[in-house]
Amino acid sequence: MTAFTPHETGRGLPRREALLKVTGRAPYSAEVGPAQGVHDAWHAALVLSSIASGRVTAVDAAQALAQPGIVAVLDHTNAPRLAGDDDEHLVLQSERIEFRGQIVAIVIAESSEAAREGARLVRVAQEATAARTRFDLDAEFEAEREPHGDDAARTLASLSGAAHVVDATYSTPPEHNNPMEPHAIVARWNDSPGGGPQLEAWLSTQGATGAAKTLATTFGIDADQVRVRGEYVGGGFGSKGVVHAPDVAGALAARAHPGRWVRLTVTRQQMFVLTGYRAPTIERIRLGADADGRLLALDMTAYTQVSTVKQFIEGATGVPAMMYGGERRTLRQKVATLNVPVTSWMRAPGEMPGAHALECAMDELARACDLDPVELRIRNDVATDPATGKPFNGRRLVDCLRLGAMRFGWSERQAEPGTTRDGEWLVGLGVASATYPALMQRGSETSIEALGSGRYRVRMGSADIGQGAWTVLGQIAADALGVGIDDIDLQIGDSAGPPATVAGGSSGTASWGASIIGAAQAFREKFGDDPGQGDELRAGGTRPEEYKKHAMHSFGAHFVQARVHAVTGEVRVARMLGVFSVGRVLNPMLVRSQFIGGMVMGIGAALHEAGVRDELGHVATGDLASYHVPTHADIADIDAIWLDEVDPLMGPLGARGVGEIGIVGASAAVANAVFDATGIRVRDLPITPATLVPGLTGLTGR
Ligand code: MOS
């Protein structure tokens, strides 16, 4: 029996829930109400620490409790006890303060206004101890991992014998996830034993299955005693990929009042301290090449920070370890543990800063070798993954570079930087490679039920955070069952459904899709193509044997035309093209949107985004007025295209993930274009007018 024949798959169908969303009828988690069985919800608001290290000595809730509508104030002395061993999740379990912005009290009230006002009135006495908050090369670093690759001395010997050497240090600042929809949870504990799960929650999450498990562990109950729903999620970028403290806080507030729904919405300002962010990084890269630009040696040290609360490492060595050749290679990761908010996932964690540094260094090497940067990358292409020794799953980086160069008009590039002017603007072109692992996670299952008349209900716990799962999983299910997409009643975003892995690591569609195809195949084998109404089956998928034997990656190339104002230093990304090799493209409209979203975020990283933490550990850029992200006015001519291909190592679907590769290398392409325009190499992101003006010669030319 044919497992999968693309028919609906491959069509550029618009989002199936688009009308619901644009008419305000798609209930996001914070909005659930009577229609979802949520009546008379109370509201919770958070009180945060104002010191970076120390302890809470007293919580004075009297003034807050005297206000009308305030029901309770929870602190570490009276909050319900939690289980689990993840310190990030142990909200209000001790007086310890590990960072500025930690939850130290929760106010519960009849209205959100009262809750917020109550949070303002709670007095938290804190005793400060010395805090370590500074991240720079003077911080105290532990070597986190064994050096990867060769003995450092051999690599350095090889470097010193190289015809061309680049030795440069790059940095990326803290970057903060800012999905349109902030985090939210609406939770209730069952007050009648035996009547359904103990904890029910609507949660803005990238994975209802995983979130339910984590909440169960945190509260010390069985996983089947938690039901998490999150059918419509307004973006995440990774911030909703794991449970963060506010999610627990909402469930904890409800725990204190069994039978009562409690709603907790995270404010935009709180998003900067409580829902994860990309840690700042510093990368020293040394590249050595022979006279023809072929890499001989790579030595890299990547520095980053983690919180004392939890170790999540923004590991930047991954991409440099696998991207190009070179016979001697040493990479090491160093980590400083600081009194800072918990670092976590943000689109392409690790790959983004790692690729930024490497792809800027490759641009510098191209200049040193007097080679075209596209040509330098082609010369250093490899068929075998230098990091694992495994063959790549059909690495088509060179095809992406060549196609992009042709489409973008790369041949117009001038050999000398800073020589192309258009009135008051300096104009330059930049390129960078992109890559991302092709992950296919095991553990997802799908339930298929025949509804009669050729219709099927397809259920699983997967999440649509805006990437388009409501649509694409419908397309996959239709093809797997040999019907049209309108014959599929898809139900996702509910942990009561069969388990699904997270919408993260660009793994969702491939992993869930395999389970849909596996379940559909089992269903058709058992019930045939004309099943009886009510026939139902639940099954998972498989991963091809060959998957494990290969280094599974996607590749791509970014091309940027930057215009830099000769006087003000304003940078405009006038044109940008991404070319990607990602296996089968399941829905061109949604895939293009994912690529462009990632590229826009790369422009943000290059030019706009910078979290600033002051000496007191305060995130000073805790809003969208001071933390800048690209807006429509910042984005000009941008496009993404892809190679026509199918990746058989990804199973019948043949598709690799597309969520993250768009950001990988994008910031480097911008930085390289800025260099080409101005001759100024800015190695610390973001590239702002202030970083360029001192080097610009204004309107007088050079
Ligand atoms: Mo993405 S950072 O893997 O959710």
Side-chain angles (χ1 to χ4, degrees):
M1 186 171 303
T2 318
F4 185 78
T5 312
H7 174 66
E8 294 287 2
T9 304
R11 294 173 62 199
L13 293 179
R15 286 164 211 281
R16 301 188 88 199
E17 81 288 12
L19 191 62
L20 286 180
K21 281 183 172 167
V22 299
T23 54
R25 286 179 294 149
Y28 289 83
S29 289
E31 301 174 321
V32 295
Q36 290 78 28
V38 174
H39 297 277
D40 305 319
W42 282 347
H43 297 259
L46 302 172
V47 181
L48 309 185
S49 66
S50 59
I51 60 170
S53 172
R55 64 189 191 96
V56 176
T57 53
V59 175
D60 177 0
Q63 219 188 327
L65 288 168
Q67 295 295 308
I70 299 206
V71 177
V73 175
L74 297 180
D75 62 34
H76 67 279
T77 64
N78 64 353
R81 295 296 93 189
L82 295 171
D85 57 5
D86 184 331
D87 287 337
E88 185 190 8
H89 298 152
L90 294 179
V91 176
L92 302 186
Q93 300 300 293
S94 98
E95 75 283 2
R96 273 295 307 160
I97 294 172
E98 296 287 345
F99 63 91
R100 183 173 167 129
Q102 182 183 316
I103 299 170
V104 289
I106 305 171
V107 177
I108 302 159
E110 289 167 3
S111 69
S112 68
E113 293 83 356
R116 295 269 176 102
E117 176 65 358
R120 196 179 69 79
L121 293 172
V122 172
R123 293 283 161 264
V124 182
Q126 302 154 88
E127 185 182 275
T129 51
R132 286 195 295 179
T133 61
R134 239 184 118 105
F135 176 75
D136 55 26
L137 286 178
D138 294 329
E140 204 177 297
F141 290 96
E142 317 143 29
E144 165 54 26
R145 290 177 195 165
E146 288 301 302
H148 169 91
D150 298 288
D151 177 69
R154 293 176 64 181
T155 299
L156 294 186
S158 181
L159 263 172
S160 65
H164 303 287
V165 174
V166 168
D167 180 350
T169 300
Y170 306 89
S171 75
T172 62
E175 292 165 359
H176 295 268
N177 291 303
N178 270 292
M180 294 269 280
E181 180 211 16
H183 290 228
I185 180 169
V186 181
R188 181 177 69 170
W189 284 79
N190 198 336
D191 55 355
S192 54
Q198 277 181 267
L199 169 62
E200 282 181 88
W202 267 271
L203 181 69
S204 190
T205 179
Q206 293 174 222
T209 306
K213 269 190 206 150
T214 303
L215 287 171
T217 305
T218 305
F219 284 90
I221 59 177
D222 291 339
D224 63 2
Q225 288 301 309
V226 180
R227 182 180 184 190
V228 169
R229 274 180 275 187
E231 288 162 15
Y232 302 101
V233 180
F237 306 124
S239 69
K240 296 168 183 170
V242 291
V243 165
H244 288 300
D247 308 332
V248 176
L252 188 66
R255 183 81 193 92
H257 301 92
R260 174 67 67 168
W261 287 103
V262 176
R263 189 187 315 264
L264 188 149
T265 57
V266 177
T267 66
R268 180 61 66 185
Q269 289 85 352
Q270 290 166 352
M271 294 282 295
F272 286 81
V273 287
L274 288 174
T275 59
Y277 60 101
R278 189 192 307 286
T281 71
I282 300 168
E283 294 85 13
R284 181 180 182 194
I285 290 195
R286 283 180 279 188
L287 298 176
D290 68 14
D292 297 328
R294 286 195 176 78
L295 281 168
L296 300 170
L298 157 69
D299 182 272
M300 175 183 193
T301 308
Y303 303 85
T304 192
Q305 71 174 36
V306 298
S307 168
T308 54
V309 176
K310 186 176 201 162
Q311 182 148 118
F312 173 89
I313 297 169
E314 183 79 23
T317 59
V319 169
M322 53 66 65
M323 200 66 199
Y324 304 110
E327 56 200 27
R328 295 275 178 262
R329 313 144 51 73
T330 308
L331 303 98
R332 58 190 82 73
Q333 175 76 58
K334 296 196 174 200
V335 175
T337 303
L338 302 175
N339 293 106
V340 294
V342 175
T343 59
S344 189
W345 296 357
M346 179 166 173
R347 207 172 201 163
E351 288 86 5
M352 184 267 150
H356 176 77
L358 176 68
E359 292 299 312
C360 288
M362 287 295 279
D363 203 65
E364 301 205 40
L365 183 63
R367 299 288 175 181
C369 301
D370 202 14
L371 262 183
D372 182 302
V374 170
E375 173 59 24
L376 177 76
R377 286 169 172 83
I378 292 172
R379 275 189 200 179
N380 285 291
D381 191 39
V382 282
T384 303
D385 176 11
T388 62
K390 292 180 183 177
F392 282 109
N393 53 323
R395 165 172 162 139
R396 295 185 67 188
L397 171 64
V398 170
D399 292 337
C400 294
L401 286 163
R402 290 217 165 103
L403 179 62
M406 192 177 71
R407 290 284 184 92
F408 196 71
W410 184 253
S411 58
E412 292 161 23
R413 178 179 170 273
Q414 303 296 311
E416 278 304 304
T419 53
T420 306
R421 284 187 83 116
D422 177 10
E424 298 183 355
W425 295 85
L426 302 163
V427 184
L429 302 184
V431 65
S433 303
T435 188
Y436 196 80
L439 301 175
M440 204 173 172
Q441 309 211 63
R442 288 187 290 194
S444 295
E445 291 180 10
T446 303
S447 140
I448 295 174
E449 179 190 351
L451 300 175
S453 316
R455 303 194 75 246
Y456 296 90
R457 176 167 298 139
V458 175
R459 288 193 309 133
M460 64 188 315
S462 32
D464 191 333
I465 64 168
Q467 83 278 32
W470 278 114
T471 309
V472 174
L473 298 188
Q475 291 176 280
I476 295 168
D479 288 340
L481 288 161
V483 296
I485 190 167
D486 292 330
D487 296 319
I488 301 295
D489 172 13
L490 184 71
Q491 296 187 0
I492 60 173
D494 188 343
S495 73
T501 53
V502 69
S506 300
S507 68
T509 304
S511 311
W512 308 329
S515 105
I516 293 173
I517 291 170
Q521 190 163 356
F523 186 95
R524 292 171 81 173
E525 273 161 19
K526 182 163 177 191
F527 300 115
D529 283 344
D530 189 20
Q533 191 172 342
D535 284 346
E536 186 173 3
L537 174 147
R538 171 172 156 173
T542 53
R543 206 162 60 179
E545 276 294 298
E546 288 294 299
Y547 175 96
K548 279 252 159 217
K549 297 180 190 151
H550 289 77
M552 301 293 298
H553 290 268
S554 285
F555 289 92
H558 297 281
F559 292 82
V560 165
Q561 184 196 58
R563 293 166 64 85
V564 181
H565 195 273
V567 175
T568 66
E570 177 184 359
V571 180
R572 305 287 310 174
V573 174
R575 287 199 294 131
M576 185 166 189
L577 174 69
V579 184
F580 300 97
S581 159
V582 292
R584 195 198 306 273
V585 165
L586 302 176
N587 180 320
M589 181 186 283
L590 294 171
V591 165
R592 181 173 179 275
S593 165
Q594 283 275 53
F595 288 147
I596 288 178
M599 291 160 68
V600 167
M601 230 160 141
I603 293 174
L607 304 178
H608 307 291
E609 299 189 44
V612 176
R613 199 174 52 242
D614 70 16
E615 295 280 317
L616 301 173
H618 173 58
V619 177
T621 47
D623 55 50
L624 292 178
S626 52
Y627 185 87
H628 296 162
V629 296
T631 66
H632 280 283
D634 296 305
I635 304 303
D637 177 354
I638 192 165
D639 201 4
I641 58 175
W642 46 84
L643 307 181
D644 185 11
E645 62 182 355
V646 174
D647 187 342
L649 302 186
M650 294 298 285
L653 207 52
R656 304 192 293 262
V658 299
E660 282 155 290
I661 191 170
I663 194 176
V664 180
S667 54
V670 175
N672 296 340
V674 168
F675 176 81
D676 192 53
T678 62
I680 302 169
R681 183 70 69 179
V682 181
R683 297 191 179 89
D684 303 305
L685 291 186
I687 302 167
T688 60
T691 61
L692 292 171
V693 162
L696 291 171
T697 52
L699 297 180
T700 57
R702 43 189 77 222

